[in-house]
Amino acid sequence: MKQSAIDKAPIQYFPLDHLYLSPMNPRTRNGADWDGLRLLAESIKVAGLIQNLAGHLDEDGKVGIVAGGRRLLAMTELSPEDMASIGLAEIPVRIAPDEATARAWASIENIAREALHPADEIRAYGRMAESGSTVPAIARVFGQTEKHVYRRLALAALPVPVLDALKAGELTLGAAECFTVAQSEALALEVLDRVRGEDYSVARLKQMLQPEAIGKSDRRVVYVGLDAYEGAGGHLTRDLFADQVFLTDADLLDSLYAEKLAMDADMLGQGWKWVETSDDQYIPYEVTSKLDRIYRIEGELTEEQATRYDELAELAEGDVLDEAGQAELDALEAICDGEFTDTQRDHAGLFIFVARDGQLTVQAAFVRPEDRDAAIAAEVLTGHAAMRGQTGS
């Protein structure tokens, strides 16, 4: 006997006082969890009877319930007025054709209850939550984990046509989850009409539902920061079913990006002849190839510093260098890398941009053609660099 056999049985309607717990039913009144039943009663009062009962018609015209015993007991906790208000003046019951079938149904009820359709779950949970039921209470009533209830509740605010499409099999549950990121209900309904019954990937659906959205991995977002964007009044849409965030105010993001880049350029460009920012994620070669590049004047370590450098480098190579040691090594490496002199800064400048990974990047240092003669005179450009471009002049 399969669960689907219950679904195919005819439904008849009976007053509540015509129903009783069959001796075949594994649920008993004496062993009932009345706190749980009261919660279930509240859920029925709010959401209605999501699953029908099943039973066997006896000689007196009454029905012994073999599947749905908890639901029957819960309904006895409701008043006739409550039952009538939710359309349960008479209770729908699937009637078994014979006692053998009824016993089989009772066994099925004991080992495997019929699963609710996700759309029915979502609506039932949503109605209970709206009436004040907590997630733990909903989870207890339906025998689900709280995490499961939270995930279903996240879909409860979807437009009714989306849930209807889910119930009709025109959308998968995964596709329905995508609609939680829709920029607007109007767009959600427009996309629904396009994808109903079609097999679209999750990524494609989200793109259709957030056509102008910007992901959190966008270099502008990484550079500006979500906190700064939200603090400036920017709107976020969070995907409740994936670790994704969408920013919908591109103009605000671009404004914050430009302001931050300008401020960083002012700070980093202090002391230099010029500083130039770029909106691109790199400085093209055709730009830098027309300039003369200069380099830091390398520093020299003392004998003691050199010995310490070798010790720290060995520890770093063995991946056993602590935070303080790493800071010390970085300081020694900075000495070796050297620094630009004030004279170099007086004749050269920097390019500043945000790289693909969202990190502020400084490309230094360059002498422009119009500053070349002065840089040579100040010995900022010497040797081959000073001779470049003079051949044939």
Side-chain angles (χ1 to χ4, degrees):
M1 177 68 63
K2 296 183 179 179
Q3 185 73 27
S4 59
I6 299 179
D7 301 336
K8 296 176 182 177
I11 294 178
Q12 297 183 36
Y13 290 81
F14 302 87
L16 184 60
D17 60 9
H18 278 50
L19 309 180
Y20 63 93
L21 275 179
S22 168
M24 292 181 271
N25 195 303
R27 305 292 179 187
T28 65
R29 184 174 293 274
N30 291 336
D33 169 15
W34 287 104
D35 287 339
L37 287 175
R38 290 186 185 98
L39 287 172
L40 180 54
E42 284 301 311
S43 78
I44 293 173
K45 183 177 177 180
V46 173
L49 188 64
I50 304 298
Q51 293 172 285
N52 293 319
L53 310 182
H56 182 234
L57 193 62
D58 65 20
E59 295 177 355
D60 297 325
K62 294 188 176 183
V63 181
I65 298 301
V66 298
R70 287 187 77 249
R71 277 163 273 156
L72 175 60
L73 292 175
M75 284 187 285
T76 65
E77 294 292 295
L78 298 177
S79 68
E81 293 75 19
D82 286 336
M83 295 290 287
S85 70
I86 55 177
L88 291 177
E90 291 191 323
I91 315 301
V93 183
R94 294 189 184 276
I95 299 299
D98 51 52
E99 186 174 329
T101 301
R103 289 188 181 279
W105 287 2
S107 176
I108 291 171
E109 171 75 357
N110 193 33
I111 61 175
R113 300 183 203 170
E114 180 184 358
L116 280 177
H117 190 281
D120 292 330
E121 263 191 299
I122 292 163
R123 286 174 165 140
Y125 295 178
R127 287 193 289 266
M128 286 191 70
E130 287 175 2
S131 71
S133 296
T134 64
V135 168
I138 297 172
R140 187 178 177 187
V141 166
F142 287 89
Q144 297 288 355
T145 65
E146 291 182 20
K147 180 179 180 181
H148 177 84
V149 174
Y150 275 117
R151 289 179 67 86
R152 290 291 191 262
L153 282 175
L155 299 169
L158 286 175
V160 171
V162 176
L163 291 179
D164 288 343
L166 174 62
K167 182 65 183 288
E170 297 170 336
L171 282 182
T172 65
L173 181 58
E177 290 173 351
C178 294
F179 281 80
T180 60
V181 304
Q183 288 181 196
S184 67
E185 182 170 335
L187 178 60
L189 297 179
E190 178 185 328
V191 172
L192 177 63
D193 287 340
R194 293 168 58 188
V195 306
R196 193 189 298 268
E198 302 293 336
D199 185 19
Y200 280 80
S201 70
V202 167
R204 176 60 180 142
L205 270 175
K206 289 180 179 178
Q207 185 180 35
M208 294 168 70
L209 291 161
Q210 288 274 355
E212 299 175 4
I214 302 164
K216 68 177 183 179
S217 61
D218 185 284
R219 67 189 182 96
R220 294 168 297 171
V221 177
V222 175
Y223 177 56
V224 170
L226 288 176
D227 289 343
Y229 172 80
E230 284 191 284
H235 179 69
L236 288 178
T237 300
R238 298 185 185 276
D239 189 338
L240 302 174
F241 299 92
D243 182 25
Q244 293 180 323
V245 175
F246 300 98
L247 290 72
T248 57
D249 194 337
D251 289 341
L252 175 62
L253 178 63
D254 286 338
S255 175
L256 294 172
Y257 174 86
E259 289 174 8
K260 182 175 173 63
L261 187 59
M263 289 176 60
D264 285 340
D266 285 343
M267 180 182 66
L268 294 170
Q270 291 180 9
W272 292 91
K273 183 175 180 61
W274 56 268
V275 58
E276 183 176 322
T277 61
S278 173
D279 289 334
D280 292 330
Q281 57 191 12
Y282 65 94
I283 304 300
Y285 173 74
E286 54 265 29
V287 172
T288 59
S289 64
K290 298 173 182 177
L291 310 177
D292 289 292
R293 186 161 191 176
I294 60 174
Y295 300 92
R296 293 177 173 85
I297 304 300
E298 295 181 1
E300 291 187 7
L301 299 178
T302 65
E303 185 176 343
E304 181 180 351
Q305 287 174 324
T307 300
R308 181 57 176 164
Y309 179 91
D310 291 339
E311 292 172 353
L312 294 170
E314 186 175 347
L315 291 173
E317 188 173 342
D319 200 24
V320 292
L321 189 61
D322 60 19
E323 186 175 342
Q326 184 62 55
E328 187 180 356
L329 178 60
D330 290 343
L332 293 173
E333 286 181 339
I335 294 174
C336 294
D337 291 340
E339 185 54 273
F340 291 104
T341 66
D342 290 341
T343 302
Q344 287 177 311
R345 293 169 185 267
D346 289 340
H347 295 83
L350 317 171
F351 289 107
I352 297 178
F353 59 96
V354 176
R356 178 177 297 180
D357 61 0
Q359 300 304 306
L360 185 67
T361 303
V362 178
Q363 196 166 332
F366 297 90
V367 175
R368 285 172 167 167
E370 60 268 29
D371 299 321
R372 196 168 189 279
D373 290 342
I376 292 173
E379 297 186 345
V380 169
L381 288 176
T382 59
H384 179 73
M387 297 297 296
R388 191 169 75 98
Q390 292 186 359
T391 303
S393 58

